[in-house]
Amino acid sequence: GLVERFDRSFCLDHVANKTAGLERALRELGTRAGVMVGDKRYDMEAGRAVGMAFIGCRYGFGVDDELAGADALVDDVRDVPEWVPERANRG
């Protein structure tokens, strides 16, 4: 149930870092609004650097301390959609 919630997906293979990748994605989509979903502090830092809300994933490789300050925490990828619509307009 996640595919229909995304306008596009981007790969980080062709950018210098996550922040640059997010900037490129926002530019190509013609928006400043979005939500970064990740399991590490550097995911949150990249999202915040471009003004995105951040959903921390407890089911990944990160630990709770790394996710402190997230707009939302989820324990399962299926929990992400409930946060995306209301959080996407933060930026």
Side-chain angles (χ1 to χ4, degrees):
L2 292 177
V3 173
E4 65 274 0
R5 298 202 182 249
F6 296 97
D7 295 319
R8 199 178 293 162
S9 63
F10 293 88
C11 179
L12 294 178
D13 289 347
H14 305 292
V15 294
N17 56 55
K18 282 192 181 195
T19 302
L22 293 175
E23 284 287 356
R24 176 181 168 203
L26 292 171
R27 186 174 53 254
E28 287 184 19
L29 291 169
T31 186
R32 294 301 307 164
V35 175
M36 177 66 168
V37 179
D39 63 351
K40 301 291 279 178
R41 174 153 298 280
Y42 56 78
D43 296 326
M44 181 165 45
E45 291 169 352
R48 296 281 195 240
V50 298
M52 289 182 167
F54 177 73
I55 298 174
C57 302
R58 289 184 180 131
Y59 57 84
F61 295 103
V63 295
D64 280 357
D65 289 349
E66 283 190 273
L67 304 176
D71 295 295
L73 293 172
V74 297
D75 294 309
D76 188 294
V77 70
R78 293 171 290 195
D79 297 331
V80 171
E82 75 178 81
W83 291 97
V84 172
E86 69 182 79
R87 303 292 187 198
N89 295 323
R90 177 183 167 176

